[in-house]
Amino acid sequence: MPAATIKDVAREAGVSVASVSRALNGGRGVTAETGQRILEAAQRLRYVPHAAARMLITRRTNTVGALLPDLYGEFFSELIRGIDLAARSRGLHLLVSSSHDDAEAAAAALRAMQGRVDGLLLMSPHADADFLRQNLPQNLPTVLINTRLSGADYCALSVDNDGGARLMVEHLLSLGRRRIVFIQGPPGNRDATQRELGYRESLASHAPDSPMMMLRGDFSEESGYRAGHQVLAMRPRPDAVFAANDMMAIGCLAALREAGLRIPQDIAVGGFDDVPMARYVTPPLTTIQVHIAELGGQAMALLGEQLDHPDDVRAGSRRRVDAELVVRASSAAPSG
Amino acid sequence: MPAATIKDVAREAGVSVASVSRALNGGRGVTAETGQRILEAAQRLRYVPHAAARMLITRRTNTVGALLPDLYGEFFSELIRGIDLAARSRGLHLLVSSSHDDAEAAAAALRAMQGRVDGLLLMSPHADADFLRQNLPQNLPTVLINTRLSGADYCALSVDNDGGARLMVEHLLSLGRRRIVFIQGPPGNRDATQRELGYRESLASHAPDSPMMMLRGDFSEESGYRAGHQVLAMRPRPDAVFAANDMMAIGCLAALREAGLRIPQDIAVGGFDDVPMARYVTPPLTTIQVHIAELGGQAMALLGEQLDHPDDVRAGSRRRVDAELVVRASSAAPSG
DNA sequence: GGCGCCAACGTAAACGTTTTCATGGCCGAT
DNA sequence: ATCGGCCATGAAAACGTTTACGTTGGCGCC
């Protein structure tokens, strides 16, 4: 038995399809009584409007697409959660596509979403200006998440890496640390470079006499571990380490502890991200927390605005979500 | 400028819309030469078929829906990753909806997907037989993930909790441990009860003389910590703890270490899940790894089969994905 | 009581595609 | 040379909605 169509409902209720449509969409232009009759008929037949037909005529899909890079772990899950929640509260569906390794795959994914979505949430390392101009349908509302794009052509939203890093540096300075070494992330990584920038700025403005010290890293725990060994070899020894992400901080922590250093007495350690593990390492890691779900939610909200007011095209609008300092024992000895 | 339609392509190429359609879908019934001309025209116009129109006539959406419970963390992200990958390789889109707290919300989400998807991947604590009969469109191919459903009406797929737990117990027994205490998960939780079952079975069959010992827990780290204290009070003391998940194992580990016990010499500890943190606690945690992405991928594969052969309705087919023992220092002292 | 207006309702067009069916041309076989 | 058949192509129907427009009826007002 094929699914009931609007015609079936019309016949069942003894009215025309137009009236059914009217009754089901807000019920204007229809008597309360007729509306009731139609509603009952629809219910009886378990009528569900055919989404495709509606999309075709309406030119709205009530769906937004989320294009994400291949992303393991918590960040992705939190982001999706925030997006999904915000989307649902606006009555929008969510079409996701992750794991596109190269620009070509991303472009394909983008093309495949053509016409299936009213708007796009895009987070991709390949999303430079050229790529977008090339692959993005011109009039599709889009919000960029955490892209390295500086042009004013698109709406964008990102985490406040810079501000977060400054928070950390200021925290360490407030503890009296003066020799703060920074462990860098992968070269070219936007988050990493922004965090480094925050470190530089903050140090320059708050403690111009303190030396700037950088060590190479690539966000991996191993690279943090290696950096830890380099820290141990530095003379005079730094009194604080700020790693561009938690995993490196954790690796560094291990190296320092193995060498017999006391943390935080001999050297303080700070990370970035507040991964779940951060509170479980010994000592628990001071870090910068980013409300990732909120990042997703805000991106969705921004997109929602664009959908509601397509004319009012505030393209270049940018927003950032705040980062927050979480102090744990790796920087401040337990009180008492 | 509105997007190009098939008519525009037809005009541009000097053929009828029918030929364009044929050329673009496999190109059968069309001369190689005309096909080429049409393809070029389409490319020139940046033509992308209107998804809705195609759905309407074809009655295929090329989309599958994934309904997931509100799920934080790694499990969700891995599952989605596996699903997405498998879906993409079949040319299917993925419509997700998570975070439905109660059965009503889940039902609403389900209804909203009506007609937008060709098949459904469903993982919901509310998915009992009644719920499904009530809310599931009758002819929609569906694969259940990790549900507590025993009926043979639907395709289902789950992780081998039982087998995984047996692996752990056998491992502990092989180390000579004979007093193995089990920390339970939340009552009513399917995974938890299956893991407990595996513990019971394995102990009964391989070491009938060993006592069965249970402690209450709820999957949280704190509950594991509390259970750890209870372990410390037991006389004679157990020589191994098997927690129903990693977080409890980690909490328990902390309690035991605080009390001065050496792990694994005095007491071995095992968990379940292999969360990323498991390898970073001290000592690294022996645990059972489940390939969650594979769970998602297999579910998608199962669904794909159903989509390809809708007639060949092997409804009750069940599958499980294997669990794997990962031995780390919390159960086996580092060799050498 | 007639006129006009408004609200309720029906008719039909439109959305963009696929697919069935008809048509014509070409080629091979007789 | 004619006929049959096949293949490329085109015309048009169909998918299930929404919506512009037309029609009807009732009602108020002159």
Side-chain angles (χ1 to χ4, degrees), chain B residues 289-322:
Chain B
Q289 183 183 23
V290 181
H291 300 276
I292 302 170
E294 193 190 321
L295 175 65
Q298 291 229 17
M300 188 62 235
L302 218 53
L303 185 55
E305 280 178 32
Q306 279 190 65
L307 291 178
D308 293 345
H309 315 289
D311 40 349
D312 179 14
V313 57
R314 264 175 312 142
S317 97
R318 248 140 254 290
R319 235 188 268 177
R320 19 191 54 181
V321 313
D322 289 335

PDB file of all heavy atoms in Angstrom, chain B residues 289-322:
ATOM      1  N   GLN B 289      38.741  -3.441  23.405  1.00  0.00           N
ATOM      2  CA  GLN B 289      38.533  -2.444  22.376  1.00  0.00           C
ATOM      3  C   GLN B 289      37.408  -2.870  21.449  1.00  0.00           C
ATOM      4  O   GLN B 289      37.317  -4.016  21.036  1.00  0.00           O
ATOM      5  CB  GLN B 289      39.814  -2.267  21.560  1.00  0.00           C
ATOM      6  CG  GLN B 289      39.683  -1.191  20.511  1.00  0.00           C
ATOM      7  CD  GLN B 289      40.921  -1.079  19.658  1.00  0.00           C
ATOM      8  OE1 GLN B 289      41.696  -2.029  19.553  1.00  0.00           O
ATOM      9  NE2 GLN B 289      41.109   0.058  19.044  1.00  0.00           N
ATOM     10  N   VAL B 290      36.554  -1.927  21.145  1.00  0.00           N
ATOM     11  CA  VAL B 290      35.498  -2.186  20.182  1.00  0.00           C
ATOM     12  C   VAL B 290      35.718  -1.249  19.007  1.00  0.00           C
ATOM     13  O   VAL B 290      35.939  -0.061  19.198  1.00  0.00           O
ATOM     14  CB  VAL B 290      34.122  -1.925  20.800  1.00  0.00           C
ATOM     15  CG1 VAL B 290      33.034  -2.217  19.796  1.00  0.00           C
ATOM     16  CG2 VAL B 290      33.942  -2.756  22.044  1.00  0.00           C
ATOM     17  N   HIS B 291      35.681  -1.788  17.843  1.00  0.00           N
ATOM     18  CA  HIS B 291      35.881  -0.941  16.670  1.00  0.00           C
ATOM     19  C   HIS B 291      34.565  -0.271  16.330  1.00  0.00           C
ATOM     20  O   HIS B 291      33.763  -0.782  15.559  1.00  0.00           O
ATOM     21  CB  HIS B 291      36.402  -1.767  15.506  1.00  0.00           C
ATOM     22  CG  HIS B 291      37.702  -2.427  15.808  1.00  0.00           C
ATOM     23  ND1 HIS B 291      38.903  -1.780  15.675  1.00  0.00           N
ATOM     24  CD2 HIS B 291      37.995  -3.651  16.282  1.00  0.00           C
ATOM     25  CE1 HIS B 291      39.889  -2.595  16.027  1.00  0.00           C
ATOM     26  NE2 HIS B 291      39.359  -3.745  16.400  1.00  0.00           N
ATOM     27  N   ILE B 292      34.391   0.891  16.907  1.00  0.00           N
ATOM     28  CA  ILE B 292      33.089   1.531  16.819  1.00  0.00           C
ATOM     29  C   ILE B 292      32.801   2.010  15.416  1.00  0.00           C
ATOM     30  O   ILE B 292      31.691   1.892  14.913  1.00  0.00           O
ATOM     31  CB  ILE B 292      33.019   2.701  17.819  1.00  0.00           C
ATOM     32  CG1 ILE B 292      33.287   2.155  19.218  1.00  0.00           C
ATOM     33  CG2 ILE B 292      31.667   3.353  17.760  1.00  0.00           C
ATOM     34  CD1 ILE B 292      33.477   3.218  20.244  1.00  0.00           C
ATOM     35  N   ALA B 293      33.837   2.536  14.781  1.00  0.00           N
ATOM     36  CA  ALA B 293      33.639   2.976  13.400  1.00  0.00           C
ATOM     37  C   ALA B 293      33.186   1.798  12.553  1.00  0.00           C
ATOM     38  O   ALA B 293      32.319   1.939  11.683  1.00  0.00           O
ATOM     39  CB  ALA B 293      34.923   3.566  12.847  1.00  0.00           C
ATOM     40  N   GLU B 294      33.740   0.639  12.853  1.00  0.00           N
ATOM     41  CA  GLU B 294      33.349  -0.540  12.101  1.00  0.00           C
ATOM     42  C   GLU B 294      31.893  -0.894  12.386  1.00  0.00           C
ATOM     43  O   GLU B 294      31.163  -1.345  11.496  1.00  0.00           O
ATOM     44  CB  GLU B 294      34.258  -1.712  12.473  1.00  0.00           C
ATOM     45  CG  GLU B 294      34.130  -2.881  11.536  1.00  0.00           C
ATOM     46  CD  GLU B 294      34.854  -4.100  12.069  1.00  0.00           C
ATOM     47  OE1 GLU B 294      35.953  -3.928  12.632  1.00  0.00           O
ATOM     48  OE2 GLU B 294      34.306  -5.207  11.946  1.00  0.00           O
ATOM     49  N   LEU B 295      31.488  -0.664  13.618  1.00  0.00           N
ATOM     50  CA  LEU B 295      30.084  -0.884  13.956  1.00  0.00           C
ATOM     51  C   LEU B 295      29.197  -0.036  13.048  1.00  0.00           C
ATOM     52  O   LEU B 295      28.238  -0.523  12.442  1.00  0.00           O
ATOM     53  CB  LEU B 295      29.850  -0.506  15.419  1.00  0.00           C
ATOM     54  CG  LEU B 295      28.429  -0.541  15.949  1.00  0.00           C
ATOM     55  CD1 LEU B 295      27.875  -1.943  15.936  1.00  0.00           C
ATOM     56  CD2 LEU B 295      28.347   0.048  17.352  1.00  0.00           C
ATOM     57  N   GLY B 296      29.541   1.224  12.936  1.00  0.00           N
ATOM     58  CA  GLY B 296      28.780   2.106  12.067  1.00  0.00           C
ATOM     59  C   GLY B 296      28.843   1.664  10.615  1.00  0.00           C
ATOM     60  O   GLY B 296      27.835   1.633   9.918  1.00  0.00           O
ATOM     61  N   GLY B 297      30.043   1.298  10.184  1.00  0.00           N
ATOM     62  CA  GLY B 297      30.218   0.885   8.804  1.00  0.00           C
ATOM     63  C   GLY B 297      29.412  -0.353   8.478  1.00  0.00           C
ATOM     64  O   GLY B 297      28.748  -0.432   7.446  1.00  0.00           O
ATOM     65  N   GLN B 298      29.446  -1.320   9.386  1.00  0.00           N
ATOM     66  CA  GLN B 298      28.703  -2.555   9.141  1.00  0.00           C
ATOM     67  C   GLN B 298      27.209  -2.305   9.135  1.00  0.00           C
ATOM     68  O   GLN B 298      26.459  -2.908   8.356  1.00  0.00           O
ATOM     69  CB  GLN B 298      29.052  -3.586  10.212  1.00  0.00           C
ATOM     70  CG  GLN B 298      30.455  -4.102  10.100  1.00  0.00           C
ATOM     71  CD  GLN B 298      30.488  -5.618  10.143  1.00  0.00           C
ATOM     72  OE1 GLN B 298      29.477  -6.283   9.945  1.00  0.00           O
ATOM     73  NE2 GLN B 298      31.661  -6.157  10.407  1.00  0.00           N
ATOM     74  N   ALA B 299      26.777  -1.442  10.037  1.00  0.00           N
ATOM     75  CA  ALA B 299      25.351  -1.119  10.062  1.00  0.00           C
ATOM     76  C   ALA B 299      24.939  -0.534   8.720  1.00  0.00           C
ATOM     77  O   ALA B 299      23.917  -0.897   8.132  1.00  0.00           O
ATOM     78  CB  ALA B 299      25.056  -0.134  11.187  1.00  0.00           C
ATOM     79  N   MET B 300      25.779   0.357   8.241  1.00  0.00           N
ATOM     80  CA  MET B 300      25.507   0.976   6.944  1.00  0.00           C
ATOM     81  C   MET B 300      25.498  -0.082   5.851  1.00  0.00           C
ATOM     82  O   MET B 300      24.658  -0.054   4.944  1.00  0.00           O
ATOM     83  CB  MET B 300      26.575   2.023   6.688  1.00  0.00           C
ATOM     84  CG  MET B 300      26.331   2.868   5.479  1.00  0.00           C
ATOM     85  SD  MET B 300      24.827   3.818   5.591  1.00  0.00           S
ATOM     86  CE  MET B 300      24.036   3.273   4.105  1.00  0.00           C
ATOM     87  N   ALA B 301      26.440  -1.007   5.922  1.00  0.00           N
ATOM     88  CA  ALA B 301      26.505  -2.050   4.912  1.00  0.00           C
ATOM     89  C   ALA B 301      25.230  -2.890   4.920  1.00  0.00           C
ATOM     90  O   ALA B 301      24.650  -3.198   3.872  1.00  0.00           O
ATOM     91  CB  ALA B 301      27.723  -2.932   5.157  1.00  0.00           C
ATOM     92  N   LEU B 302      24.798  -3.232   6.113  1.00  0.00           N
ATOM     93  CA  LEU B 302      23.578  -4.014   6.265  1.00  0.00           C
ATOM     94  C   LEU B 302      22.399  -3.269   5.659  1.00  0.00           C
ATOM     95  O   LEU B 302      21.561  -3.832   4.944  1.00  0.00           O
ATOM     96  CB  LEU B 302      23.335  -4.251   7.757  1.00  0.00           C
ATOM     97  CG  LEU B 302      22.779  -5.595   8.186  1.00  0.00           C
ATOM     98  CD1 LEU B 302      23.609  -6.715   7.630  1.00  0.00           C
ATOM     99  CD2 LEU B 302      22.730  -5.683   9.692  1.00  0.00           C
ATOM    100  N   LEU B 303      22.357  -1.999   5.942  1.00  0.00           N
ATOM    101  CA  LEU B 303      21.274  -1.170   5.405  1.00  0.00           C
ATOM    102  C   LEU B 303      21.375  -1.104   3.887  1.00  0.00           C
ATOM    103  O   LEU B 303      20.367  -1.187   3.180  1.00  0.00           O
ATOM    104  CB  LEU B 303      21.348   0.232   6.000  1.00  0.00           C
ATOM    105  CG  LEU B 303      20.217   1.176   5.615  1.00  0.00           C
ATOM    106  CD1 LEU B 303      18.878   0.562   5.952  1.00  0.00           C
ATOM    107  CD2 LEU B 303      20.375   2.512   6.315  1.00  0.00           C
ATOM    108  N   GLY B 304      22.595  -0.973   3.410  1.00  0.00           N
ATOM    109  CA  GLY B 304      22.806  -0.924   1.972  1.00  0.00           C
ATOM    110  C   GLY B 304      22.266  -2.168   1.282  1.00  0.00           C
ATOM    111  O   GLY B 304      21.595  -2.076   0.254  1.00  0.00           O
ATOM    112  N   GLU B 305      22.523  -3.315   1.877  1.00  0.00           N
ATOM    113  CA  GLU B 305      21.990  -4.556   1.318  1.00  0.00           C
ATOM    114  C   GLU B 305      20.479  -4.508   1.221  1.00  0.00           C
ATOM    115  O   GLU B 305      19.880  -4.881   0.220  1.00  0.00           O
ATOM    116  CB  GLU B 305      22.399  -5.743   2.193  1.00  0.00           C
ATOM    117  CG  GLU B 305      23.812  -6.223   1.952  1.00  0.00           C
ATOM    118  CD  GLU B 305      24.148  -7.368   2.895  1.00  0.00           C
ATOM    119  OE1 GLU B 305      23.231  -8.144   3.236  1.00  0.00           O
ATOM    120  OE2 GLU B 305      25.317  -7.463   3.314  1.00  0.00           O
ATOM    121  N   GLN B 306      19.876  -4.034   2.284  1.00  0.00           N
ATOM    122  CA  GLN B 306      18.423  -3.950   2.283  1.00  0.00           C
ATOM    123  C   GLN B 306      17.925  -3.002   1.198  1.00  0.00           C
ATOM    124  O   GLN B 306      16.881  -3.223   0.598  1.00  0.00           O
ATOM    125  CB  GLN B 306      17.917  -3.457   3.637  1.00  0.00           C
ATOM    126  CG  GLN B 306      17.842  -4.528   4.689  1.00  0.00           C
ATOM    127  CD  GLN B 306      17.105  -4.010   5.914  1.00  0.00           C
ATOM    128  OE1 GLN B 306      15.936  -3.712   5.873  1.00  0.00           O
ATOM    129  NE2 GLN B 306      17.827  -3.891   7.005  1.00  0.00           N
ATOM    130  N   LEU B 307      18.679  -1.944   0.988  1.00  0.00           N
ATOM    131  CA  LEU B 307      18.260  -0.985  -0.026  1.00  0.00           C
ATOM    132  C   LEU B 307      18.373  -1.590  -1.421  1.00  0.00           C
ATOM    133  O   LEU B 307      17.527  -1.355  -2.283  1.00  0.00           O
ATOM    134  CB  LEU B 307      19.115   0.281   0.062  1.00  0.00           C
ATOM    135  CG  LEU B 307      18.891   1.136   1.301  1.00  0.00           C
ATOM    136  CD1 LEU B 307      19.817   2.333   1.296  1.00  0.00           C
ATOM    137  CD2 LEU B 307      17.456   1.588   1.376  1.00  0.00           C
ATOM    138  N   ASP B 308      19.432  -2.377  -1.609  1.00  0.00           N
ATOM    139  CA  ASP B 308      19.649  -2.949  -2.932  1.00  0.00           C
ATOM    140  C   ASP B 308      18.664  -4.070  -3.240  1.00  0.00           C
ATOM    141  O   ASP B 308      18.265  -4.255  -4.373  1.00  0.00           O
ATOM    142  CB  ASP B 308      21.091  -3.468  -3.048  1.00  0.00           C
ATOM    143  CG  ASP B 308      22.097  -2.330  -3.002  1.00  0.00           C
ATOM    144  OD1 ASP B 308      21.663  -1.177  -3.175  1.00  0.00           O
ATOM    145  OD2 ASP B 308      23.290  -2.592  -2.789  1.00  0.00           O
ATOM    146  N   HIS B 309      18.301  -4.813  -2.208  1.00  0.00           N
ATOM    147  CA  HIS B 309      17.382  -5.929  -2.423  1.00  0.00           C
ATOM    148  C   HIS B 309      16.193  -5.793  -1.478  1.00  0.00           C
ATOM    149  O   HIS B 309      16.107  -6.507  -0.483  1.00  0.00           O
ATOM    150  CB  HIS B 309      18.078  -7.261  -2.171  1.00  0.00           C
ATOM    151  CG  HIS B 309      19.430  -7.342  -2.795  1.00  0.00           C
ATOM    152  ND1 HIS B 309      19.606  -7.434  -4.158  1.00  0.00           N
ATOM    153  CD2 HIS B 309      20.677  -7.322  -2.261  1.00  0.00           C
ATOM    154  CE1 HIS B 309      20.892  -7.479  -4.427  1.00  0.00           C
ATOM    155  NE2 HIS B 309      21.571  -7.408  -3.294  1.00  0.00           N
ATOM    156  N   PRO B 310      15.299  -4.901  -1.805  1.00  0.00           N
ATOM    157  CA  PRO B 310      14.196  -4.621  -0.888  1.00  0.00           C
ATOM    158  C   PRO B 310      13.276  -5.833  -0.753  1.00  0.00           C
ATOM    159  O   PRO B 310      12.630  -6.028   0.275  1.00  0.00           O
ATOM    160  CB  PRO B 310      13.450  -3.464  -1.558  1.00  0.00           C
ATOM    161  CG  PRO B 310      14.158  -3.187  -2.838  1.00  0.00           C
ATOM    162  CD  PRO B 310      15.146  -4.264  -3.103  1.00  0.00           C
ATOM    163  N   ASP B 311      13.220  -6.642  -1.801  1.00  0.00           N
ATOM    164  CA  ASP B 311      12.347  -7.815  -1.765  1.00  0.00           C
ATOM    165  C   ASP B 311      12.921  -8.876  -0.849  1.00  0.00           C
ATOM    166  O   ASP B 311      12.224  -9.455  -0.021  1.00  0.00           O
ATOM    167  CB  ASP B 311      12.195  -8.367  -3.189  1.00  0.00           C
ATOM    168  CG  ASP B 311      13.527  -8.316  -3.938  1.00  0.00           C
ATOM    169  OD1 ASP B 311      14.454  -7.679  -3.433  1.00  0.00           O
ATOM    170  OD2 ASP B 311      13.634  -8.919  -5.022  1.00  0.00           O
ATOM    171  N   ASP B 312      14.188  -9.099  -1.002  1.00  0.00           N
ATOM    172  CA  ASP B 312      14.877 -10.135  -0.241  1.00  0.00           C
ATOM    173  C   ASP B 312      14.999  -9.702   1.219  1.00  0.00           C
ATOM    174  O   ASP B 312      16.068  -9.420   1.730  1.00  0.00           O
ATOM    175  CB  ASP B 312      16.267 -10.351  -0.857  1.00  0.00           C
ATOM    176  CG  ASP B 312      17.058 -11.392  -0.101  1.00  0.00           C
ATOM    177  OD1 ASP B 312      16.443 -12.115   0.718  1.00  0.00           O
ATOM    178  OD2 ASP B 312      18.270 -11.471  -0.323  1.00  0.00           O
ATOM    179  N   VAL B 313      13.865  -9.708   1.898  1.00  0.00           N
ATOM    180  CA  VAL B 313      13.810  -9.058   3.194  1.00  0.00           C
ATOM    181  C   VAL B 313      14.232  -9.998   4.333  1.00  0.00           C
ATOM    182  O   VAL B 313      13.409 -10.603   5.003  1.00  0.00           O
ATOM    183  CB  VAL B 313      12.399  -8.473   3.437  1.00  0.00           C
ATOM    184  CG1 VAL B 313      11.346  -9.580   3.321  1.00  0.00           C
ATOM    185  CG2 VAL B 313      12.304  -7.754   4.737  1.00  0.00           C
ATOM    186  N   ARG B 314      15.529 -10.110   4.486  1.00  0.00           N
ATOM    187  CA  ARG B 314      16.029 -10.926   5.592  1.00  0.00           C
ATOM    188  C   ARG B 314      15.924 -10.122   6.882  1.00  0.00           C
ATOM    189  O   ARG B 314      16.901  -9.581   7.373  1.00  0.00           O
ATOM    190  CB  ARG B 314      17.478 -11.316   5.336  1.00  0.00           C
ATOM    191  CG  ARG B 314      17.623 -12.690   4.711  1.00  0.00           C
ATOM    192  CD  ARG B 314      19.066 -12.923   4.396  1.00  0.00           C
ATOM    193  NE  ARG B 314      19.598 -11.762   3.717  1.00  0.00           N
ATOM    194  CZ  ARG B 314      20.826 -11.291   3.921  1.00  0.00           C
ATOM    195  NH1 ARG B 314      21.605 -11.871   4.782  1.00  0.00           N
ATOM    196  NH2 ARG B 314      21.245 -10.244   3.257  1.00  0.00           N
ATOM    197  N   ALA B 315      14.749 -10.068   7.422  1.00  0.00           N
ATOM    198  CA  ALA B 315      14.485  -9.143   8.510  1.00  0.00           C
ATOM    199  C   ALA B 315      15.315  -9.455   9.745  1.00  0.00           C
ATOM    200  O   ALA B 315      16.131  -8.672  10.183  1.00  0.00           O
ATOM    201  CB  ALA B 315      13.014  -9.173   8.870  1.00  0.00           C
ATOM    202  N   GLY B 316      15.125 -10.624  10.275  1.00  0.00           N
ATOM    203  CA  GLY B 316      15.664 -10.891  11.599  1.00  0.00           C
ATOM    204  C   GLY B 316      17.177 -10.992  11.667  1.00  0.00           C
ATOM    205  O   GLY B 316      17.728 -11.318  12.710  1.00  0.00           O
ATOM    206  N   SER B 317      17.853 -10.703  10.580  1.00  0.00           N
ATOM    207  CA  SER B 317      19.286 -10.939  10.572  1.00  0.00           C
ATOM    208  C   SER B 317      20.016 -10.060  11.575  1.00  0.00           C
ATOM    209  O   SER B 317      19.800  -8.869  11.660  1.00  0.00           O
ATOM    210  CB  SER B 317      19.847 -10.709   9.169  1.00  0.00           C
ATOM    211  OG  SER B 317      20.380  -9.423   9.056  1.00  0.00           O
ATOM    212  N   ARG B 318      20.862 -10.676  12.286  1.00  0.00           N
ATOM    213  CA  ARG B 318      21.600 -10.004  13.332  1.00  0.00           C
ATOM    214  C   ARG B 318      23.093 -10.139  13.059  1.00  0.00           C
ATOM    215  O   ARG B 318      23.517 -11.139  12.489  1.00  0.00           O
ATOM    216  CB  ARG B 318      21.329 -10.721  14.654  1.00  0.00           C
ATOM    217  CG  ARG B 318      20.559  -9.984  15.659  1.00  0.00           C
ATOM    218  CD  ARG B 318      19.576 -10.923  16.341  1.00  0.00           C
ATOM    219  NE  ARG B 318      18.255 -10.618  15.838  1.00  0.00           N
ATOM    220  CZ  ARG B 318      17.632  -9.499  16.142  1.00  0.00           C
ATOM    221  NH1 ARG B 318      18.190  -8.636  16.966  1.00  0.00           N
ATOM    222  NH2 ARG B 318      16.459  -9.231  15.647  1.00  0.00           N
ATOM    223  N   ARG B 319      23.839  -9.169  13.487  1.00  0.00           N
ATOM    224  CA  ARG B 319      25.281  -9.301  13.357  1.00  0.00           C
ATOM    225  C   ARG B 319      25.935  -8.654  14.561  1.00  0.00           C
ATOM    226  O   ARG B 319      25.348  -7.775  15.185  1.00  0.00           O
ATOM    227  CB  ARG B 319      25.756  -8.621  12.072  1.00  0.00           C
ATOM    228  CG  ARG B 319      26.550  -9.544  11.175  1.00  0.00           C
ATOM    229  CD  ARG B 319      27.160  -8.783  10.019  1.00  0.00           C
ATOM    230  NE  ARG B 319      26.294  -8.768   8.844  1.00  0.00           N
ATOM    231  CZ  ARG B 319      26.596  -8.101   7.727  1.00  0.00           C
ATOM    232  NH1 ARG B 319      27.710  -7.414   7.647  1.00  0.00           N
ATOM    233  NH2 ARG B 319      25.786  -8.104   6.691  1.00  0.00           N
ATOM    234  N   ARG B 320      27.123  -9.055  14.859  1.00  0.00           N
ATOM    235  CA  ARG B 320      27.831  -8.353  15.915  1.00  0.00           C
ATOM    236  C   ARG B 320      29.237  -8.023  15.449  1.00  0.00           C
ATOM    237  O   ARG B 320      29.801  -8.703  14.607  1.00  0.00           O
ATOM    238  CB  ARG B 320      27.899  -9.159  17.210  1.00  0.00           C
ATOM    239  CG  ARG B 320      27.646 -10.640  17.095  1.00  0.00           C
ATOM    240  CD  ARG B 320      27.476 -11.209  18.482  1.00  0.00           C
ATOM    241  NE  ARG B 320      26.446 -10.470  19.212  1.00  0.00           N
ATOM    242  CZ  ARG B 320      26.101 -10.733  20.461  1.00  0.00           C
ATOM    243  NH1 ARG B 320      26.709 -11.694  21.111  1.00  0.00           N
ATOM    244  NH2 ARG B 320      25.163 -10.020  21.052  1.00  0.00           N
ATOM    245  N   VAL B 321      29.763  -6.956  16.015  1.00  0.00           N
ATOM    246  CA  VAL B 321      31.143  -6.638  15.673  1.00  0.00           C
ATOM    247  C   VAL B 321      32.020  -7.068  16.841  1.00  0.00           C
ATOM    248  O   VAL B 321      31.655  -6.934  18.002  1.00  0.00           O
ATOM    249  CB  VAL B 321      31.334  -5.143  15.367  1.00  0.00           C
ATOM    250  CG1 VAL B 321      30.254  -4.661  14.441  1.00  0.00           C
ATOM    251  CG2 VAL B 321      31.373  -4.333  16.618  1.00  0.00           C
ATOM    252  N   ASP B 322      33.153  -7.602  16.472  1.00  0.00           N
ATOM    253  CA  ASP B 322      34.004  -8.221  17.475  1.00  0.00           C
ATOM    254  C   ASP B 322      34.612  -7.214  18.432  1.00  0.00           C
ATOM    255  O   ASP B 322      34.821  -6.056  18.095  1.00  0.00           O
ATOM    256  CB  ASP B 322      35.134  -8.984  16.788  1.00  0.00           C
ATOM    257  CG  ASP B 322      34.590 -10.219  16.104  1.00  0.00           C
ATOM    258  OD1 ASP B 322      33.523 -10.701  16.540  1.00  0.00           O
ATOM    259  OD2 ASP B 322      35.215 -10.678  15.142  1.00  0.00           O
TER     260      ASP B 322
END
